[in-house]
Each structure stands twice: as C-alpha cells, then as structure tokens.
Amino acid sequence: MASNYLLLEEPMKMVSILESAKPSFFPAMTKIVGTLGPNSRSVEVISGCLSAGMSVARFDFSWGDAAYHQETLENLKLAMKASKKLCGVMLDTVGPELLIVNKSEQPISLHELSHVVLTPDQHKQATSDLLPINFSGLSKAVRKGDEIFIGEYLFTGKETTSVWLEVSEVKDEDVICLIKNSAVLDGPLYTLHVAQIRIELPTLTDKDKEVVVSAWGVRNKIDFLSLSYTRSAEDVRHAREFLSSLGDLKQAQIFAKIENVEGLLHFDEILLEADGIILARGNLGIDLPPEKVFLYQKEVLRKCNTAGKPAVVTRFVDSMTENLRPTRAEATDVANAVLDGTDAILLGGETLRGSYPIETISTVGKICSEA
C-alpha cells in the first residue's frame, strides 16, 4: 500500500553525522553566559573564554565583595581589548539566599547520623557541630521532619560535597538537624535550601540596592540584572523602578531568575514584566521532584518563545567542573535545550571554580552549533 505521508525534509544522512565538525564551523546562535570567579578571572583565562564563545560575563555577588568583582571586570576589559571581542556584563543579585557563614574558610566535615545545629548567630565559628547562617527566621519557617539541603555552588548533587539534613528539633532561634550523609563542605560558597518554604526577605534586598546595584552596577553600566529568587511580577516592577531611579541603569535589562515553586506559580505574570527569564535548575531541582523539572523547563521555554523573550537555562555540564569532557547525558541535555528554543546556556560553577573554564565554554559552544 502506497504511503500518503508528505516528506517535508530530506532525511539526515548518517554519514554526515559521522563527519568531523569543521574547525571554522559557524558560531552558535545560542549564547553562552560564563560566571567569572577564582579560576576564571585572569586576563589570559578570560581572553580564552571570549575566544571560545562566551558572550556575556556573569558576576555573582552571592560571594566576594565589590572590590574583588571590580578587579575581575577590569581584567575582562583588558581581555576584550586583547581578543577584540565584545562581552556583555550581567550582575547577579544575592536576593533572599540562605548562606552558610564560614569565616575561617576551613573545610567542615559532617558525619552521617550525627547532629548539627543551624544558628543565626554569625559571630560563632563554623564547626562540624554548628553552622552559622545568614538568616534569623529559619526556626520559624521550618518544622520537625523538614529536609534541608546544603550544597556547593549552587548544588553539585555529589554526596561528598553536598549534605541532606532532617530537622529534628527547633530550639529558640536554632534548628537542630540530623545529618543524613557524610560530606565535607569545602569551598567559597555553600547555600542552604529548604524545599517549598517562603523566606520572608525582599527579593531585591537593601544590600543589593546599596552595595551591589547603586555602587558597582552604576559605576560599570551593567547590561543585564539577574534578579535572583524572583517570586512575583511585583518583584520585577520594584527592580525596574529602582534601576530607573539610578539614571544610568534605566536601560539595563532585567532577567527574572526562576528558582523556586513560588516563581513558577506566578510565571505568566513575571514573564509579562521581565525582559528575559533565567531558569535556575540548581535550586529548582531541590524545590521540585527531579522528575518534574524537565516538564517545567519545556513549558517555560515554550512560553518564552511565544512571548518573544529570551530564555536562559542553567546547570548543564556539572561534570566539567572536574573533567575535560561532559557526560553523554549532559551533552544531550544541552542539545535538547537548544532544540527546544533556549536562547542562552548559563555556566555557573563550571567556569567559576571549575578546572577547565575555557574548554567547558568551547565544548558547550560546539554542542550548540551542532544542534
């Protein structure tokens, strides 16, 4: 029986897939946002990142002070001049992010089935038995049985560097937790996340306004503001009013960073107000069951494409923090995101503290080009 199907495209020939990509293949239309930090802030490395395909440099103020990031930005300017490549500047706000305060910066060993106390007293020293945090309202937000996740920038998911806690008792302002897996907290940034609770802190905090945006942002005339933990359209409107009041930043684009269930519930209204969307799969992967993340990702991309607004997705090649090659699943994840309409891939820990920032950007760029 003859087929009535209309062939709209010529089938891809397998031999063409097996051909090596040409050294001068066209650059990826999907942009790459690279986070600059300890392993990616020298002029030499930044120049390599630019040549590899980085088109936006992200400055994450969750760690490091304004002076540190200013020095990195000056190196970016020198690298742009040396490589003759332009690069946008994205300022990522702190927002209502919960952080472990480890002033000594010494590794902290946590042992399975032991207990650790989370305390808002930031004057205390971080130890295996006590972890100071930057939020005084945790004891009012959690209850016995709640699970808390502490992970390296943002969350690697590795059991050796990330720890699951279960709330055993709330005592005054302290939260006593059972440690569910052994781990060592060792690095510049450890964040704390409790699934699906509201943190009663403003999205654009006073610190964001005074230290980050007004001083650093205005001085450097940033191109993009990544608004961390965007939870409603009002958050975006408030940020836009603040930027407009600064004059020099009124043209900066606001990308709403969606990283919890509350942001997803109000996504449609947020999309109307924001210039673009960042789907932060690190935090979102803790707030949601793993099997639900891809569904929200596809729906977010569909809505952004329909609205004609750029969509940025994070957390693709975690393994390249320590390895030269991504896993096959990671490479496929990048390609599928591009095919679904992702406008930019955002690299966080992979370039901030990873051992191979240049190679990571190059590899992701090649995958995007093939897709």
Side-chain angles (χ1 to χ4, degrees), residues 230-284:
T230 303
R231 295 170 286 190
S232 68
E234 182 57 34
D235 290 340
V236 182
R237 286 192 289 267
H238 176 67
R240 197 176 300 283
E241 290 173 4
F242 181 68
L243 292 185
S244 297
S245 70
L246 299 174
D248 288 343
L249 289 188
K250 62 182 179 181
Q251 299 301 322
Q253 293 192 6
I254 298 176
F255 276 60
K257 202 172 177 187
I258 308 299
E259 40 196 331
N260 56 29
V261 168
E262 192 172 356
L264 287 173
L265 291 175
H266 299 117
F267 181 78
D268 289 347
E269 65 180 58
I270 291 172
L271 182 60
L272 288 174
E273 294 292 333
D275 297 303
I277 296 294
I278 298 176
L279 189 67
R281 299 194 300 180
N283 282 334
L284 200 58

Side-chain angles (χ1 to χ4, degrees), residues 153-158 281-282 314-323 325-327 330 346-350 353-354 360:
Y153 186 99
L154 290 163
F155 300 126
T156 63
K158 294 194 301 183
R281 299 194 300 180
T314 73
R315 301 309 300 270
F316 281 98
V317 287
D318 285 350
S319 70
M320 290 196 75
T321 303
E322 300 173 351
N323 302 298
R325 289 166 59 88
T327 66
E330 288 173 335
L346 192 155
L347 301 173
E350 303 99 321
R353 59 177 175 79
T360 300

Side-chain angles (χ1 to χ4, degrees), residues 51-330:
S51 298
M54 181 178 75
S55 54
V56 176
R58 172 175 170 256
F59 294 81
D60 187 354
F61 276 76
S62 293
W63 65 278
D65 57 20
Y68 181 92
H69 290 297
Q70 188 63 45
E71 182 180 340
T72 305
L73 181 56
E74 296 305 322
N75 287 344
L76 171 63
K77 294 176 182 177
L78 293 174
M80 285 193 287
K81 186 175 181 180
S83 62
K84 295 181 173 58
K85 293 183 180 294
L86 294 176
C87 183
V89 174
M90 174 179 285
L91 187 158
D92 200 313
T93 63
V94 179
E97 185 171 43
L98 306 189
L99 302 172
I100 301 298
V101 180
N102 181 14
K103 294 182 179 179
S104 71
E105 298 186 358
Q106 295 298 314
I108 303 169
S109 297
L110 299 175
H111 304 287
E112 185 179 358
L113 301 182
S114 298
H115 285 84
V116 65
V117 177
L118 304 178
T119 179
D121 188 347
Q122 299 182 38
H123 297 292
K124 292 184 177 179
Q125 178 65 45
T127 67
S128 298
D129 303 312
L130 186 141
L131 296 175
I133 61 174
N134 66 337
F135 179 52
S136 61
L138 185 64
S139 61
K140 297 178 181 178
V142 299
R143 58 186 179 182
K144 184 177 179 179
D146 281 351
E147 290 190 325
I148 297 175
F149 190 87
I150 297 174
E152 193 175 24
Y153 186 99
L154 290 163
F155 300 126
T156 63
K158 294 194 301 183
E159 291 186 355
T160 55
T161 60
S162 304
V163 63
W164 285 96
L165 307 176
E166 182 179 304
V167 177
S168 299
E169 181 184 356
V170 175
K171 189 175 182 180
D172 298 326
E173 290 191 324
D174 292 344
V175 177
I176 303 170
C177 300
L178 175 69
I179 301 171
K180 303 186 75 173
N181 68 280
S182 297
V184 177
L185 306 185
D186 181 19
L189 176 66
Y190 272 86
T191 56
L192 181 149
H193 190 89
V194 187
Q196 301 190 27
I197 68 165
R198 178 176 177 82
I199 303 300
E200 295 300 332
L201 291 172
T203 299
L204 191 65
T205 65
D206 289 341
K207 179 183 177 182
D208 288 328
K209 291 180 180 179
E210 297 171 12
V211 180
V212 181
V213 183
S214 297
W216 199 89
V218 171
R219 174 182 176 182
N220 297 298
K221 296 182 179 179
I222 59 171
D223 302 294
F224 307 100
L225 179 74
S226 170
L227 188 61
S228 295
Y229 294 92
T230 303
R231 295 170 286 190
S232 68
E234 182 57 34
D235 290 340
V236 182
R237 286 192 289 267
H238 176 67
R240 197 176 300 283
E241 290 173 4
F242 181 68
L243 292 185
S244 297
S245 70
L246 299 174
D248 288 343
L249 289 188
K250 62 182 179 181
Q251 299 301 322
Q253 293 192 6
I254 298 176
F255 276 60
K257 202 172 177 187
I258 308 299
E259 40 196 331
N260 56 29
V261 168
E262 192 172 356
L264 287 173
L265 291 175
H266 299 117
F267 181 78
D268 289 347
E269 65 180 58
I270 291 172
L271 182 60
L272 288 174
E273 294 292 333
D275 297 303
I277 296 294
I278 298 176
L279 189 67
R281 299 194 300 180
N283 282 334
L284 200 58
I286 301 300
D287 231 33
L288 289 173
E291 67 272 16
K292 297 290 185 181
V293 176
F294 84 95
L295 291 170
Y296 281 100
Q297 176 178 321
K298 286 183 175 294
E299 186 64 7
V300 164
L301 291 177
R302 184 189 69 79
K303 289 186 175 184
C304 285
N305 291 334
T306 301
K309 293 189 177 182
V312 183
V313 184
T314 73
R315 301 309 300 270
F316 281 98
V317 287
D318 285 350
S319 70
M320 290 196 75
T321 303
E322 300 173 351
N323 302 298
L324 268 171
R325 289 166 59 88
T327 66
R328 289 160 292 283
E330 288 173 335

